[in-house]
Amino acid sequence: MKTIGIVGCGTIGTFLAKRINKDFKLLARLAGLCDIDEEKAKVLSKKLSKKIPILSLDQLIEKSDLIIEAASSSISCNICKKALTKGKDVMVMSIGGLIKDYKSLFSLAEKKKATIILPSGAICGLDGLKSAKLANVRKVTLTTRKPPKGLKGAPYIIEKDIDIDAITGEQVIFEGTAEDAVKAFPKNINVSALLSIAGIGAKKTRVKIVTSPEYMVNMHELEVEGDFGRLVSRTENVPSPTNPKTSFLAPLSALATLKQILNPSQKIGT
Ligand SMILES: NC(=O)c1ccc[n+]([C@@H]2O[C@H](COP(=O)([O-])OP(=O)(O)OC[C@H]3O[C@@H](n4cnc5c(N)ncnc54)[C@H](O)[C@@H]3O)[C@@H](O)[C@H]2O)c1
């Protein structure tokens, strides 16, 4: 029986807590919940069939075999460090927060015989990129299309004084490296961080962000070129009802990854 602690009781944390209780009754147990806004943790705890304790981050790490981070890119690196230092496995959703330090976190995980788990989240094609990376990969490009409300409040939008509600047609909002995209849109662009880590790094991975009031879904188009040939994937994501910035595929991907961890007797795909 694996004990699981969840940090961040919003859209992803709530979805996972409910499904862990329902789908993995015999394989896992929720050890605790943690949120910077304790009220959110209380609300989630009440929604679950069994009362789950609300803990501080340190207590949660102590009581869990696996910590799931579903909080914010401002804290994900710190959560990783703390969990790995205690030899605990950690699944990270706010991957943008790892972009600077992932190599040292990977070394720490190895030293402590623990595992960092980065689910594919809202993008498809990571399986191909991982395989392609075993030979030469020349180019990785991500084009993200989101409705204006999904980009609202991002540091780049505020800094450049972009009136997102005034946009009438299709408009390219940002073009640059994944390294810059993560800083400019920290709540939107976890997929570009993940692609950078899995592929050719944040300085070489190119990102384009496009918006239009006509867009109904969060769309990610991935293009990879290398010795293997060329890969193009397009994921048309339905936004989560409680957070338009988060695609529904993201919590589903975390759940699928969890299923793989808890039941390792089958492994399908790369
Ligand atoms: N990897 C992916 O493909 C992918 C996709 C979607 C979202 N995400 C990321 O996953 C994270 C969670 O997404 P969500 O939709 O559930 O967000 P959300 O806003 O619905 O919930 C986040 C929760 O975390 C809490 N929180 C914020 N800062 C915290 C801190 N320092 N310590 C503890 N709790 C904190 C908030 O109070 C909130 O309850 C976000 O960082 C988001 O960018 C990743």
Side-chain angles (χ1 to χ4, degrees):
M1 180 70 85
K2 216 181 236 313
T3 51
I4 299 177
I6 296 182
V7 189
C9 301
T11 300
I12 295 179
T14 299
F15 176 85
L16 289 177
K18 286 181 179 171
R19 292 291 294 258
I20 287 167
N21 265 358
K22 185 167 159 268
D23 299 12
F24 306 128
K25 264 186 211 137
L26 302 175
L27 299 170
R29 176 176 68 75
L30 276 177
L33 302 171
C34 168
D35 199 294
I36 198 168
D37 179 348
E38 210 180 300
E39 199 45 43
K40 291 205 171 158
K42 282 184 188 159
V43 168
L44 174 54
S45 181
K46 275 189 202 138
K47 282 184 191 160
L48 301 169
S49 50
K50 270 187 240 152
K51 204 165 183 293
I52 306 298
I54 292 147
L55 305 172
S56 69
L57 179 59
D58 289 337
Q59 289 169 330
L60 189 91
I61 291 172
E62 206 57 54
K63 289 197 180 306
S64 311
D65 303 317
L66 166 68
I67 293 90
I68 300 179
E69 179 283 327
S72 159
S73 58
S74 63
I75 183 106
S76 55
C77 182
N78 189 34
I79 293 173
C80 255
K81 264 188 211 152
K82 281 192 166 196
L84 294 171
T85 302
K86 293 275 179 186
K88 304 296 178 84
D89 297 339
V90 60
M91 182 189 286
V92 183
M93 295 309 292
S94 311
I95 298 166
L98 308 189
I99 198 95
K100 279 207 305 279
D101 296 307
Y102 69 91
K103 285 185 184 155
S104 66
L105 291 171
F106 288 173
S107 303
L108 181 61
E110 210 174 331
K111 192 171 139 206
K112 294 288 179 177
K113 298 191 173 25
T115 310
I116 296 190
I117 302 140
L118 307 179
S120 309
I123 193 151
C124 301
L126 205 70
D127 50 347
L129 176 58
K130 271 168 65 185
S131 306
K133 187 65 200 315
L134 299 180
N136 184 40
V137 172
R138 286 183 291 278
K139 181 179 150 187
V140 178
T141 308
L142 171 73
T143 303
T144 291
R145 296 174 197 276
K146 286 200 171 188
K149 68 175 178 195
L151 299 172
K152 240 182 191 171
Y156 187 85
I157 302 286
I158 295 166
E159 205 179 283
K160 300 273 171 197
D161 206 14
I162 299 170
D163 185 356
I164 201 100
D165 293 319
I167 292 172
T168 49
E170 195 169 72
Q171 191 174 317
V172 176
I173 295 287
F174 173 91
E175 249 183 315
T177 63
E179 191 177 38
D180 291 338
V182 165
K183 284 183 218 142
F185 297 89
K187 290 195 177 165
N188 284 282
I189 209 78
N190 290 293
V191 289
S192 69
L194 183 64
L195 289 174
S196 304
I197 293 170
I200 56 176
K203 285 188 191 338
K204 288 192 192 150
T205 304
R206 301 293 302 174
V207 176
K208 187 167 157 182
I209 299 176
V210 191
T211 193
S212 163
E214 306 281 302
Y215 292 168
M216 293 298 159
V217 292
N218 296 332
M219 195 193 292
H220 295 300
E221 286 163 341
L222 171 66
E223 196 188 340
V224 181
E225 278 177 27
D227 290 352
F228 75 100
R230 181 166 172 263
L231 173 167
V232 179
S233 88
R234 187 167 83 190
T235 316
E236 295 183 10
N237 282 301
V238 173
S240 294
T242 49
N243 184 354
K245 292 186 177 74
T246 288
S247 304
F248 183 40
L249 192 63
L252 288 173
S253 144
L255 191 68
T257 307
L258 204 51
K259 195 172 165 194
Q260 175 69 55
I261 296 166
L262 295 172
N263 184 4
S265 62
Q266 305 137 25
K267 178 115 182 66
I268 302 167
T270 311

